[in-house]
Amino acid sequence: MDYHMYEPTSTFLHSRLLHLYAQSGNLSDARNLFDKMPKRDIFSYNVMLSAYSKMDIYKDLWDFFHSMPIHDSVSYNTMISGLCSASCEEKALSIFVRMLKERVEPTAHTFVSALHVCSKLLELRIGKVIHAKVLLGDFGGNVFVCNALIDFYAKCGKVNKARWVFDRICEKILVSWNLMISGHLKNGQPEKCIELFSEMKSSGFKPDQFTSNVLIALFQIGQVDEACNTLRTMKEKDKICWTTMLVGYGQNGLEEDALQFFNEMLSERVRPDEITFSSVISLCAKLALLYQGKAVHAKAVHFGVDWNLLVSSALIDMYCKCGEPTESWIIFKKIQEKNMVSWNSMIVGYAQNGRDLGALDLYEEMLQKNLRPSHITFVGVLTTCIHLGFSERGQEYFYSITKVHGMRPTLDHYACMITLLGRSAGIDKALDLIKCLPCEPDCRIWSTLLSVCKIKGDVKHGELAAKHLSELDPHNAEPFILLTNMYAACGRWEDVAKMRSLMKSSQVIKFSAYSWTEVGGKVHKFTADGKSHPESELIYLELNELIRRLLEAGYSPDTKLALNNVGEDEKIQSICYHSEKLALAFVLYRMPRGVAPIRIIKNIRFCSDCHFFMKFASNIIGRYIILRDSNRFHHFVGGQCSCNDYW
């Protein structure tokens, strides 16, 4: 008996078999059958067109469409969607225009796809034409078309027009609300975003994971508690919502609450991704929480994302900001394909921790690998030159930004150069550079000059810098505080009184200086002369004993830093209880026989007396002290500091 393969004879059966091949992704068999078909209709052509579209073969899709003898709305819809998916939006738009010219009637699907293309291209003119045709074609009541219009207008910055469309939808769906909420947020209207969210809830809609836009808006206007309550009402909270909460809490200065949210996220069995981990690690870096940072690192390893560039770069930054550049280096060396963020994190991290020559070596190695430095790279490199006092080399790096790498120096680079020149070549050189700025100097520039003047004891130019800084930002306390300190240092007590009076009359609020340290996974905060800590009595006993030992070893408090015209004993008393000294005493009281480094963070620069104090203390108590202020890290070991007293 002879057996033969079944060969369909009708176009209908051919087309159905063709559709089966195409749906299963078997393009070669589909094409083979299509070529052998004795007769083809528009359905068979559209099946093949759809197959090419799904395979993301742009050229074959384009060629096949133009080889078709006829086209219908399905053909055009397939082409527009396929080209848009292949990021060929302009060609997709040309196909839509051709469809109109050939008088092929658009469908709702056509309008949705075409508006999506216009959204990506921000093509407002053609989008408006499509809107007109939507109204003429009686598609204005189609919720999917309306949603596409809302998205299109919002992305083109016409949020009022988007709201006009939204308000005219008779039966809104959750997507409609989410698109409009997102539109208000993207156009800088968080208040309207919140109003619409309240209206959405009153209409009976429950927030879903896409309503994370609302969380962002709530954080933008400072409604942290409301953001938390909104998250609680969501039935399905995905990692996007949780990550939004983490970032929002961090941006509002609630880093510890953000870390608690991360633990809650894990307990809810929501799997964090690389974005979540990098956000949490960055929070640990901000507070220099090494204990918690290591715990998050372990979780990243457990979830298998520690190798991710985003996470590994965040880990490098975190360990550097916790005073552990060696740990950062271990992670950096393990990264196979390093990107610019990885290099920058390591270079800046080394610069922050006093490994300045290592930072410059890394920069040269990066250049040898033909990697183009970024603006952040040069901030790290120039900061290193400041620490080393490399004036000429720093100027070479600065000029190479333009001459070698074709970039324009930013104000951050100019600020670095003002510090470098002001400290090594003199304030006059720094002022000459300010006069050459390509734009008007901002607060950052004058603040930098004022800081250099304080270090150099140059009251005359300090007054000039403070004057400009006060004019640009009248409520900034920095010029008042630094000038007061400078006047006090040279005994100009009348000027000290004038500055305090002016500060009071100008209603300038002095920011709080404080230090914190992490013990047993908990953060302990201290202010100068503060006694709010529950163990303050024991802390002061410990500090007084340490001061006694240091005085016997030759430590002499620098009373020139006292800010009040009082007796010598009162001056000594006023500088002996700075917040970082209290933090040190707390750690010594809690861990008298500890061997791990003592880590202390301060929110502003610490004074020269505290620097001198820490050097003596590291030698007397035989402990490694790591202190991070707003400027850099100081590693104190055996009576020496990593900054070599140049800071």
Side-chain angles (χ1 to χ4, degrees), residues 22 28 56 152 156 162 182 229 256 280 307 326 364 371 390 403 411 453 496 520 612 616 643:
S28 59
D56 265 346
F152 158 70
C156 288
S182 176
N229 293 334
E256 292 182 67
V280 177
W307 55 267
T326 302
E364 296 299 334
L371 291 170
F390 286 180
K403 292 181 179 179
L411 287 177
C453 290
V496 169
F612 192 46
F616 261 89
C643 74

Side-chain angles (χ1 to χ4, degrees), residues 293-586:
K294 283 185 173 181
V296 177
H297 185 181
K299 289 289 183 184
V301 173
H302 174 73
F303 283 99
V305 297
D306 57 307
W307 55 267
N308 179 273
L309 266 177
L310 198 63
V311 177
S312 56
S313 296
L315 284 169
I316 291 169
D317 180 59
M318 185 271 292
Y319 280 115
C320 280
K321 286 181 178 174
C322 289
E324 293 288 341
T326 302
E327 291 293 330
S328 297
W329 176 250
I330 292 169
I331 296 168
F332 180 77
K333 291 294 286 183
K334 287 181 179 179
I335 301 174
Q336 296 295 320
E337 296 292 332
K338 301 175 181 68
N339 63 3
M340 188 51 61
V341 177
S342 313
W343 285 94
N344 285 343
S345 297
M346 201 66 242
I347 290 170
V348 172
Y350 264 2
Q352 288 174 333
N353 283 274
R355 298 194 179 184
D356 302 300
L357 293 176
L360 294 182
D361 288 342
L362 271 175
Y363 173 68
E364 296 299 334
E365 183 184 343
M366 189 185 78
L367 294 183
Q368 289 172 10
K369 294 182 181 294
N370 295 319
L371 291 170
R372 186 172 181 266
S374 70
H375 289 103
I376 296 173
T377 315
F378 282 106
V379 171
V381 169
L382 293 174
T383 300
T384 294
C385 292
I386 293 170
H387 296 165
L388 293 170
F390 286 180
S391 178
E392 291 184 7
R393 193 167 175 181
Q395 290 179 69
E396 289 175 7
Y397 285 132
F398 178 75
Y399 292 125
S400 75
I401 296 173
T402 302
K403 292 181 179 179
V404 178
H405 303 288
M407 300 186 294
R408 289 184 178 180
T410 66
L411 287 177
D412 285 327
H413 301 145
Y414 280 103
C416 288
M417 288 304 297
I418 289 166
T419 303
L420 181 60
L421 292 174
R423 295 192 64 173
S424 60
I427 301 295
D428 289 335
K429 293 290 184 183
L431 282 169
D432 289 341
L433 182 61
I434 291 176
K435 292 173 185 176
C436 296
L437 284 174
C439 58
E440 288 296 315
D442 64 357
C443 291
R444 171 178 23 183
I445 297 298
W446 292 117
S447 176
T448 301
L449 182 66
L450 180 57
S451 296
V452 176
C453 290
K454 182 180 182 298
I455 293 169
K456 303 285 284 187
D458 189 330
V459 177
K460 176 185 174 183
H461 288 114
E463 289 173 334
L464 173 69
K467 178 177 178 293
H468 283 289
L469 190 54
S470 295
E471 288 173 354
L472 289 170
D473 187 1
H475 300 291
N476 187 351
E478 182 186 14
F480 295 93
I481 294 169
L482 290 185
L483 267 186
T484 300
N485 294 348
M486 292 170 72
Y487 289 144
C490 54
R492 292 171 55 174
W493 298 111
E494 288 186 8
D495 289 322
V496 169
K498 286 178 183 178
M499 288 304 299
R500 286 175 174 163
S501 176
L502 182 60
M503 191 173 177
K504 187 175 181 180
S505 63
S506 301
Q507 296 183 327
V508 175
I509 300 173
K510 182 180 177 181
F511 51 84
S512 299
Y514 55 88
S515 300
W516 69 92
T517 186
E518 184 185 19
V519 174
K522 186 178 178 182
V523 176
H524 298 265
K525 187 175 174 181
F526 302 90
T527 57
D529 297 310
K531 295 185 179 178
S532 60
H533 195 281
E535 298 168 281
S536 61
E537 186 176 341
L538 294 169
I539 293 169
Y540 274 86
L541 285 173
E542 185 73 38
L543 180 55
N544 287 331
E545 173 60 21
L546 178 60
I547 292 170
R548 184 191 64 78
R549 292 173 63 188
L550 296 190
L551 289 171
E552 289 178 355
Y555 162 68
S556 177
D558 187 357
T559 55
K560 287 189 297 183
L561 298 173
L563 300 179
N564 292 298
N565 188 19
V566 292
E568 195 68 12
D569 290 341
E570 287 88 347
K571 286 182 180 181
I572 291 173
Q573 190 81 5
S574 70
I575 62 174
C576 277
Y577 301 119
H578 284 184
S579 61
E580 54 268 55
K581 292 170 183 171
L582 290 169
L584 174 64
F586 170 72

Side-chain angles (χ1 to χ4, degrees), residues 116-134:
H116 181 59
V117 172
C118 291
S119 297
K120 294 180 79 172
L121 291 176
L122 301 180
E123 183 55 74
L124 183 62
R125 184 180 62 83
I126 296 178
K128 285 183 174 180
V129 172
I130 295 172
H131 190 181
K133 290 192 174 295
V134 164

